[in-house]
Every structure is written in C-alpha cells, then in structure tokens.
Amino acid sequence: MRKYFKVYIFLIFSMLLCFLTYTTYAYKLTKKVLKHSPVKNIILFIGDGMGYQYLTAYRFYKNRVPFKNVGLTSLDKYLVGSQMTYPFDNDENITDSAASATAMATGYKTYNGYVGVNEKLEPKETVLERAKKLGKSTGLVVTVEVNHATPACFVTHVKSRKLMDLIADNYCDEKILGKNKVDIILGGGKKHFLREDRNLIKDFIKRGYAFLDTREELLQACNTKNNKLLGLFADEALPKAIDRLSDIPSLKEMTQVALSKLKNNNKGFFLLVEGSQIDSCGHKNDIVGAMSEMKDFEEAFEVAVDFALKDKKTLVVATADHSTGGLSLGKNKNYYWNPFIIKKVLKTPYFIADMIAKGCDTKEALEKYISFPLTSKEISSVEKAAKDSKAAAILEIIDKRTNTGWTTIGHTGEDVPVFALGPNKDMFRGFHDNTWIAKCFFKLLF
Ligand code: MG
Ligand code: ZN
C-alpha cells in the first residue's frame, strides 16, 4: 500500500491542477462570450417625446442648407437601434412617460401613470438604486420638475405620477445603505420642495446638500467641495430653451456641473439627463420651442460624449420614451419643409402671446420676435384671435409657412431611436423592447 502512496498523491494533485486549469479557462471563455465587463459610469439621456421626426427636423434646422448633403446632428453617428415603447395595458398601447421610464429604469412594463412599480403595484428595483447599492454616485438632470414622471421612475415607487409632493418627500427620506438615493438633483419644481406642510430644502441641507436656485450659483458649484447638490431653478418646469433668460441654466450647464461632481467617486456613477420639454413642445404643437429643446438636448449630449471619449470607462445611451404630437415634416402635398422660418422666430409663440396678454401691441410684439416680414393678413389673424387663442394663431402661421403637420396634442406610439457609445455599446444594437435598457444596465452594474 505504501508504495502506491506517492502515486495517489500525484494523481490527486494532477486532477486538482486539471480542474483549476479548466475552470479558469471556462471562466475566461464565458467572459469572452458574454463580453460584458462591468462599466464604471453610465449616463442615460432621455429625450422626452423625441421620436425620429424630431431628429430629422432638427437635422434640417441645424444645417445652413437643408438640401442635398445635409449635415448630421451630434446624435446621428451613435445610432445603434430602435425600441418599442408600448405600456402594460389591455386598452392602451401608447405609453406615457411614467410607464416608459419605469420600463427603462426597472426592466418591467407597467400601466401608464405608474412610477417604479409593476402592474401589480409591486416596487421594482431601479438601475439608479442598484448603482447606489454598489457605492456609486447618482444624479438627475432635467428641465421640468425634478420630481416629474421620468426622473421619479428612477428613484422611487408610487402608484401615480401625480403624487408629486410625495415623490419629492421620498427623494429626501428614502435611503439606500443609510444614504440618500440621489446625490445630484438639478432642474425645476421648487414649489414641491418649499411647501406649507414641509420645507424639504431645509431637510436636504440638513442631510449635507448644497442648495442652489440661480444659474450663477450652479456655475460656482464647480469650485466647491460639496458633492451633493439640490438645484431648483424654477417653481415648476424651466422655461423652454429659447425663452430662457440668463438666470436659468441650460441642460448643458447642468450636465457639466453634475459630471464635475459625480466623477469624484472612484466607484463610478449613474446619471440620468432628460431633455424633458421636447415633449411639452410636442403637446403644444410648437415647432419653434421643440427645435430649441432639441438643441439644448444635443449640446448636453455633446458634453457627455466628450467626457466618455476621454474617460473610456463611461457608457452613454440616449433614447426617447415615446414620440409626441404626431409631428410631420411636410403637409398638404408640399415637398418642402422650411426650417429657415423657424430660425427667424426668436421666442416661442406662447411667449409672444404672453407678451401681448401683458399689454404689448400685437403688431409690435410680432415684429419684435419674428424676423421675417408677415403679411397684413397674417398680422390681422393674430389681432382678431381671442386672447387665449393668440398663440394658436401664431403657431398656425409658422406651421403653414414651414409645412409642419401635427395629428394630436398627445403622445404617439411609433418606435423610437437608441444611441450608444462607450464600453458595451453593442448590447443595445438592433431592435429591442424599452425594458432592454434596464436589463442591460443591470447586467453591467455588478
Ligand atoms: Mg419626462
Ligand atoms: Zn408627454
């Protein structure tokens, strides 16, 4: 027996060696097949309401010559696929922002209006919550109320998007591993944080946040040490990009400040940036506002692209939650969509109508904010319009001159584009459901 002892030991040792070699090889092989290495930083851009038509329109609008060799937008070259947007419902197959954002945040379809919960109202973990659990920093940058449907679906779990005060409370009170879920919160919605029943701004400051409410304070925040910011720059939504005065930051500026803070965490970050009001302009059938919001969105996207190209550990994905308004380029058999007219309107028709409502003479207001000559018939159409229809009369002039069509003041159900760059961008290639965004992020966040 003793003479075989050495042989046994040798056999056992060889088997162990074989096993170790095989498992290492198998592990390497699986990794190679899956090709998913963890990503340090994720930035998700959502153009609310940004269907394909808005991108095409913006491409023409952006170019000096909208014929022949039309130049690209900054998003175009990163297009990787499309996604379906329909909600979980028996009666409705056109989504709202809450159901679509819940799908992209949690990987679960739900009813329109539900926030971060599935169809049974069960709370589902969001990619932002997962990032926080992993010790990453998190941020929300939007141009509507920070507690509006889209951002809310990434942070909290409530049965209706309308519960905006409760959503704001949850931003402050809900914790992950003893920490607030979102480190950087920038956008509008101050009235939900400064209420008769509760001063959330005070509570956020108590929890270590710096509070900002002007553009100047935001830009200075880059030089401060505090990596937790609550910036609320309007009581409700921010004005549309083209109507903003100099005290309101752009989406680009908010994104820059957010990145300057989030990058300080060695474990990485998750950031949601929403071009929130492409949708609002779609609802109002306002092509002037919509193009200014597209520009705002594109400029913020460019900031993230620059960051990701330098950093090399950042995945950037951009998409839309649905399209809005049934925008069409061309109408009444006209084969020319005219972006030059839009460029010559210096404020949204709603802003101009508001000036008239505040006592400005109609003709003077039109001449001040519209830099192409209007016909007397056009001017009188606005003069004759009732007080609350002035904006509609101006919109009609612009739509007619540009050949812009609209079919609804609600959402529409077409597929939407998906753009991606950075590590693992190929996961988003092809045609998917909107739940795929969250499913991929969960795979990459470990
Ligand atoms: Mg939204
Ligand atoms: Zn909408």
Side-chain angles (χ1 to χ4, degrees):
M1 198 60 196
R2 278 190 74 178
K3 71 173 180 187
Y4 292 117
F5 184 69
K6 276 186 184 169
V7 179
Y8 280 136
I9 292 288
F10 176 75
L11 277 175
I12 290 170
F13 184 73
S14 324
M15 277 164 71
L16 208 67
L17 201 71
C18 280
F19 175 73
L20 277 174
T21 321
Y22 173 74
T23 42
T24 320
Y25 171 73
Y27 175 74
K28 276 188 184 162
L29 196 74
T30 339
K31 266 212 125 170
K32 209 171 172 185
V33 171
L34 287 173
K35 274 192 194 161
H36 305 148
S37 47
V39 168
K40 188 180 175 197
N41 310 314
I42 296 179
I43 309 175
L44 175 62
F45 277 81
I46 298 180
D48 198 313
M50 188 186 68
Y52 277 105
Q53 322 90 298
Y54 286 83
L55 281 149
T56 315
Y58 182 63
R59 195 177 306 124
F60 284 134
Y61 170 87
K62 193 186 170 184
N63 279 276
R64 227 161 33 87
V65 186
F67 305 101
K68 293 179 181 166
N69 307 308
V70 175
L72 299 182
T73 72
S74 304
L75 287 130
D76 289 326
K77 73 169 171 178
Y78 298 110
L79 183 80
V80 291
S82 305
Q83 63 178 9
M84 302 185 280
T85 65
Y86 69 90
F88 177 98
D89 207 309
N90 293 322
D91 311 309
E92 295 183 341
N93 53 16
I94 296 170
T95 194
D96 84 325
S97 291
S100 189
T102 297
M104 291 189 275
T106 70
Y108 288 86
K109 292 265 190 205
T110 196
Y111 288 110
N112 281 342
Y114 282 20
V115 171
V117 294
N118 69 2
E119 81 282 2
K120 293 177 200 142
L121 285 172
E122 294 163 343
K124 289 291 164 191
E125 188 191 18
T126 75
V127 290
L128 183 143
E129 289 172 320
R130 174 73 62 86
K132 196 75 210 169
K133 265 180 210 159
L134 294 169
K136 291 180 190 290
S137 292
T138 52
L140 298 177
V141 172
V142 305
T143 58
V144 282
E145 295 84 344
V146 293
N147 49 336
H148 205 261
T150 310
C153 294
F154 285 80
V155 185
T156 192
H157 313 272
V158 298
K159 66 172 189 245
S160 168
R161 57 185 287 174
K162 289 181 188 153
L163 301 168
M164 288 182 75
D165 286 350
L166 174 65
I167 292 169
D169 288 348
N170 290 353
Y171 280 15
C172 187
D173 301 333
E174 290 182 349
K175 302 274 181 339
I176 286 182
L177 304 174
K179 288 180 179 151
N180 271 74
K181 289 181 179 176
V182 199
D183 302 296
I184 306 287
I185 305 173
L186 302 174
K190 205 197 297 178
K191 72 172 192 189
H192 299 282
F193 288 73
L194 205 55
R195 316 189 303 256
E196 264 179 29
D197 66 313
R198 191 163 175 192
N199 184 340
L200 276 170
I201 294 173
K202 238 182 180 173
D203 292 343
F204 268 100
I205 293 170
K206 250 190 245 162
R207 285 160 174 80
Y209 284 75
F211 175 71
L212 334 154
D213 62 357
T214 64
R215 175 169 172 256
E216 213 183 327
E217 284 173 347
L218 175 80
L219 300 180
Q220 278 165 5
C222 279
N223 308 317
T224 62
K225 281 211 174 115
N226 197 339
N227 287 324
K228 287 162 92 175
L229 299 179
L230 173 67
L232 303 172
F233 307 99
D235 271 338
E236 299 175 333
L238 307 191
K240 307 286 176 293
I242 198 171
D243 293 341
R244 271 176 223 155
L245 302 174
S246 61
D247 59 335
I248 304 280
S250 66
L251 192 63
K252 172 185 170 174
E253 288 166 337
M254 291 192 286
T255 305
Q256 275 168 332
V257 173
L259 287 173
S260 79
K261 297 290 179 188
L262 294 169
K263 72 173 186 201
N264 295 330
N265 185 340
N266 293 332
K267 290 184 177 166
F269 63 80
F270 174 83
L271 170 65
L272 171 73
V273 181
E274 188 196 18
S276 322
Q277 299 203 56
I278 300 162
D279 173 69
S280 327
C281 297
H283 283 291
K284 293 192 158 190
N285 290 180
D286 170 11
I287 194 67
V288 177
M291 289 302 99
S292 81
E293 286 292 316
M294 284 299 297
K295 182 168 183 275
D296 202 36
F297 186 72
E298 184 195 44
E299 287 173 355
F301 179 75
E302 285 167 1
V303 167
V305 170
D306 287 347
F307 181 89
L309 292 179
K310 268 188 220 138
D311 171 76
K312 296 191 172 62
K313 290 173 206 143
T314 303
L315 169 69
V316 182
V317 176
T319 187
D321 49 357
H322 51 74
S323 194
T324 308
L327 168 63
S328 77
L329 311 190
K331 68 171 180 181
N332 301 335
K333 284 190 178 173
N334 287 304
Y335 280 49
Y336 174 42
W337 186 73
N338 182 347
F340 296 116
I341 289 290
I342 302 167
K343 286 187 188 182
K344 287 179 181 162
V345 186
L346 311 177
K347 295 283 179 193
T348 63
Y350 291 91
F351 181 100
I352 303 170
D354 200 36
M355 287 294 124
I356 297 168
K358 282 179 180 155
C360 196
D361 175 71
T362 302
K363 191 166 181 262
E364 272 173 33
L366 291 173
E367 279 167 359
K368 184 170 177 190
Y369 297 114
I370 296 179
S371 70
F372 61 83
L374 288 163
T375 64
S376 53
K377 206 175 153 194
E378 283 170 333
I379 293 167
S380 79
S381 75
V382 183
E383 280 169 341
K384 276 186 207 151
K387 231 182 184 178
D388 56 355
S389 313
K390 300 264 186 217
I394 304 168
L395 288 168
E396 202 184 317
I397 296 169
I398 296 161
D399 285 348
K400 220 172 190 176
R401 286 213 183 213
T402 55
N403 293 318
T404 301
W406 304 93
T407 64
T408 173
I409 52 164
H411 296 174
T412 57
E414 321 86 77
D415 303 328
V416 293
V418 179
F419 309 88
L421 71 135
N424 296 293
K425 68 172 197 302
D426 289 335
M427 287 173 91
F428 302 87
R429 200 167 283 286
F431 179 71
H432 296 284
D433 182 59
N434 56 1
T435 49
W436 183 246
I437 301 263
K439 286 172 184 163
C440 290
F441 287 172
F442 280 127
K443 268 185 196 167
L444 299 171
L445 288 166
F446 60 86

